[in-house]
Amino acid sequence: MDTRETWASRLGFILAAVGSAVGLGNVWRFPYVTAANGGAVFLVVYLIAAVAIGLPAMLAEFAVGRRARRNVIDAFDEIGYPTWGVIGLLGLATGFWILSYYSVVGGWVIRYVFASATGGYFGDPNAYFQGIAAGPAAVGFHALFLGLTVGIVALGVEDGIELATKVMVPAILVVLVGLAVWGVTLSGAGDGLSYFLSPDIDVFANDYATIVPAAVGQAFFSLSLGMGVMITYASYLGRDDDLAVDGGLIVVLNSAVGILAGLVAFPLLFSQNVEPGSAGAGAIFVSLATAFASLPAGRLVGVVFFGVVLVAALSSAISLLEVVVSYAVDRYAVGRLRTAVAVGVLVFALGLPSATSLETLTLFDRVASNVWLPLGATLVVAFVGWVYGQAAVDELQQGAGRLGGLGPAWLWLVRVVVLATLVGILLLGVADILAVYADIELLG
Ligand code: PHE
């Protein structure tokens, strides 16, 4: 398949991968899940998980993708292990699942871009959020966000994905740094900072069985791991990149954006006397809206902020869609445009429950990060560690500089530590979902 597309440059690949990683997971999900899991303790576990578990798992996906140069399902066939293609199948299903509610949240963001310009939420930010989060308007904006995603993916790897992300990554860093610097000067900000930055070990001792799976799940969600995005993106690579360095850069940049979002969200919540755990999935929308309402140039700041978040969300959403489209284009030689539109319609339908109920959306989100992504990652890691083994090390060593010598250490890390952790948190994650489900049953 000589006509397969490739990235125009190494930077293009890194930015696209960062573009996939950095998104609503950092700006919307990270603050709200941090608040639900005790604050700073969660941050610590999350960072450890990103570096010690996420990065090695990312390299496992890179090795398969670059070696095979195929979509998530055929990749396993190409390297000689067709049955492991079920990983790809699970990846496609997870992509549908996540995109369905991700696009609802993306729709909220579009709505907030407009509402910032008009000052629509300035009067009562909380009531405004409750009013737009679910219902007919949410359905409409969900459709709009999906339409944009489909449009970019239809344009293809180089013109669409690569271009969109080159602008987004620098922009989001600049805007978040600006907001964080301003946020910490507010009165009450200090409490927010200590909530976010100074861990309380008792919190961990009491709740580690929910904190740890939530943190590892957040690391995988945020790094776009466990559903084949990184297999797909690495499949468009040339042979001579240093994948370990690329992976390290992606993890650092992604963590930086998450921390910055926390530095913005928590001082703001505390300066408004909002109890962080109570804010739920609307945390970032309500807290920032309240802040923008009180700022001199609030409308402008709001438009810029939500505009940047929108681009970040789009560059993640296109990676979710690209996994599915890439498969259909490789396998059935159908056009990008037609495939993207068809998938878009299905995702729209699957998103309707989330667009009409905030509880459903939160449940979909929790199942994605606690079950689907850890399950996918467990399978990839088991395959790469124990089945593909040395061949994966060889692939990573292609183009690797001095870090290449760490190959065998990486392999054992993947085989033992990463795999055992993933299996453990998968079990805890399933238990957590069953407990939530039992609660719902009891209440209903
Ligand atoms: N990493 C993206 C974010 O943080 C979400 C995502 C998850 C994208 C899984 C692709 C795959 O917003």
Side-chain angles (χ1 to χ4, degrees), residues 17-29 94-95 98 101-102 218-230 254 312-313 315-321 323 373:
V18 172
S20 169
V22 172
L24 297 172
N26 309 61
V27 181
W28 160 71
R29 192 176 201 281
T94 306
I98 296 180
Y101 70 86
Y102 200 87
Q218 168 64 19
F220 276 76
F221 186 94
S222 190
L223 289 167
S224 304
L225 295 174
M227 56 151 289
V229 167
M230 295 304 172
N254 184 62
S315 60
S316 301
I318 55 188
S319 73
L320 288 160
L321 186 57
V323 172
L373 294 177

Side-chain angles (χ1 to χ4, degrees), residues 24-25 28-29 32-33 93-109 133 138 141-142 145-146 217-218 221-222 227 281 313 317 320 346-370 372-373:
L24 297 172
W28 160 71
R29 192 176 201 281
Y32 107 75
V33 180
T94 306
F96 271 97
W97 180 282
I98 296 180
L99 189 54
S100 77
Y101 70 86
Y102 200 87
S103 139
V104 175
V105 181
W108 299 346
V109 176
F141 280 90
H142 162 55
F145 183 88
L146 260 182
Q218 168 64 19
F221 186 94
S222 190
M227 56 151 289
L320 288 160
L346 289 176
V347 171
F348 172 73
L350 185 61
L352 288 176
S354 298
T356 45
S357 150
L358 197 53
E359 283 80 54
T360 307
L361 187 149
T362 315
L363 188 61
F364 261 68
D365 184 40
R366 197 147 163 169
V367 173
S369 87
N370 279 4
W372 299 135
L373 294 177

Side-chain angles (χ1 to χ4, degrees), residues 253-265:
L253 276 170
N254 184 62
S255 306
V257 176
I259 292 173
L260 278 170
L263 289 177
V264 174

Side-chain angles (χ1 to χ4, degrees), residues 326-420:
S326 167
Y327 170 69
V329 171
D330 275 4
R331 173 64 74 93
Y332 302 107
V334 277
R336 276 188 157 267
L337 176 65
R338 259 208 268 161
T339 319
V341 171
V343 177
V345 170
L346 289 176
V347 171
F348 172 73
L350 185 61
L352 288 176
S354 298
T356 45
S357 150
L358 197 53
E359 283 80 54
T360 307
L361 187 149
T362 315
L363 188 61
F364 261 68
D365 184 40
R366 197 147 163 169
V367 173
S369 87
N370 279 4
V371 182
W372 299 135
L373 294 177
L375 179 60
T378 302
L379 294 174
V380 172
V381 159
F383 168 74
V384 168
W386 292 103
V387 181
Y388 202 42
Q390 188 55 38
V393 176
D394 294 344
E395 179 61 36
L396 290 177
Q397 283 173 336
Q398 291 253 0
R402 280 202 220 125
L403 288 177
L406 291 175
W410 165 80
L411 186 59
W412 281 102
L413 185 66
V414 165
R415 282 181 172 169
V416 180
V417 180
V418 177
L419 184 58

Side-chain angles (χ1 to χ4, degrees), residues 77-440:
D77 199 357
E78 179 70 22
I79 60 177
Y81 300 93
T83 17
W84 289 89
V86 294
I87 296 177
L89 212 57
L90 179 68
L92 295 193
T94 306
F96 271 97
W97 180 282
I98 296 180
L99 189 54
S100 77
Y101 70 86
Y102 200 87
S103 139
V104 175
V105 181
W108 299 346
V109 176
I110 299 182
R111 180 79 183 239
Y112 270 77
V113 174
F114 291 121
S116 300
T118 60
Y121 53 68
F122 282 15
D124 188 344
N126 195 28
Y128 185 84
F129 176 78
Q130 298 305 332
I132 65 112
V139 172
F141 280 90
H142 162 55
L144 185 56
F145 183 88
L146 260 182
L148 290 173
T149 308
V150 166
I152 301 176
V153 169
L155 287 176
V157 167
E158 211 186 303
D159 301 328
I161 302 178
E162 201 164 335
L163 197 72
T165 50
K166 265 187 190 153
V167 191
M168 182 276 294
V169 175
I172 195 162
L173 285 173
V174 171
V175 175
L176 282 176
V177 168
L179 281 170
V181 168
W182 169 74
V184 297
T185 64
L186 296 174
S187 78
D191 291 342
L193 285 181
S194 69
Y195 176 81
F196 184 50
L197 298 176
S198 53
D200 177 350
I201 197 71
D202 289 343
V203 173
F204 184 77
N206 289 334
D207 280 332
Y208 65 89
T210 43
I211 292 176
V212 173
V216 180
Q218 168 64 19
F220 276 76
F221 186 94
S222 190
L223 289 167
S224 304
L225 295 174
M227 56 151 289
V229 167
M230 295 304 172
I231 294 180
T232 305
Y233 275 17
S235 78
Y236 301 126
L237 267 178
R239 282 269 175 247
D240 45 12
D241 265 24
D242 190 334
L243 291 174
V245 171
D246 292 0
L249 260 171
I250 295 163
V251 171
V252 168
L253 276 170
N254 184 62
S255 306
V257 176
I259 292 173
L260 278 170
L263 289 177
V264 174
F266 290 108
L268 285 180
L269 285 174
F270 275 78
S271 73
Q272 291 153 47
N273 293 317
V274 179
E275 149 63 32
S278 72
I284 194 85
F285 290 93
V286 177
S287 67
L288 285 174
T290 313
F292 296 158
S294 69
L295 264 185
R299 294 183 185 205
L300 183 63
V301 179
V303 172
V304 173
F305 176 80
F306 286 112
V308 169
V309 173
L310 176 61
V311 181
L314 280 170
S315 60
S316 301
I318 55 188
S319 73
L320 288 160
L321 186 57
E322 176 63 21
V323 172
V324 184
V325 170
S326 167
Y327 170 69
V329 171
D330 275 4
R331 173 64 74 93
Y332 302 107
V334 277
R336 276 188 157 267
L337 176 65
R338 259 208 268 161
T339 319
V341 171
V343 177
V345 170
L346 289 176
V347 171
F348 172 73
L350 185 61
L352 288 176
S354 298
T356 45
S357 150
L358 197 53
E359 283 80 54
T360 307
L361 187 149
T362 315
L363 188 61
F364 261 68
D365 184 40
R366 197 147 163 169
V367 173
S369 87
N370 279 4
V371 182
W372 299 135
L373 294 177
L375 179 60
T378 302
L379 294 174
V380 172
V381 159
F383 168 74
V384 168
W386 292 103
V387 181
Y388 202 42
Q390 188 55 38
V393 176
D394 294 344
E395 179 61 36
L396 290 177
Q397 283 173 336
Q398 291 253 0
R402 280 202 220 125
L403 288 177
L406 291 175
W410 165 80
L411 186 59
W412 281 102
L413 185 66
V414 165
R415 282 181 172 169
V416 180
V417 180
V418 177
L419 184 58
T421 308
L422 280 169
V423 170
I425 71 124
L426 184 58
L427 296 176
L428 288 173
V430 171
D432 172 68
I433 296 294
L434 292 178
V436 171
Y437 193 71
D439 276 355
I440 294 176

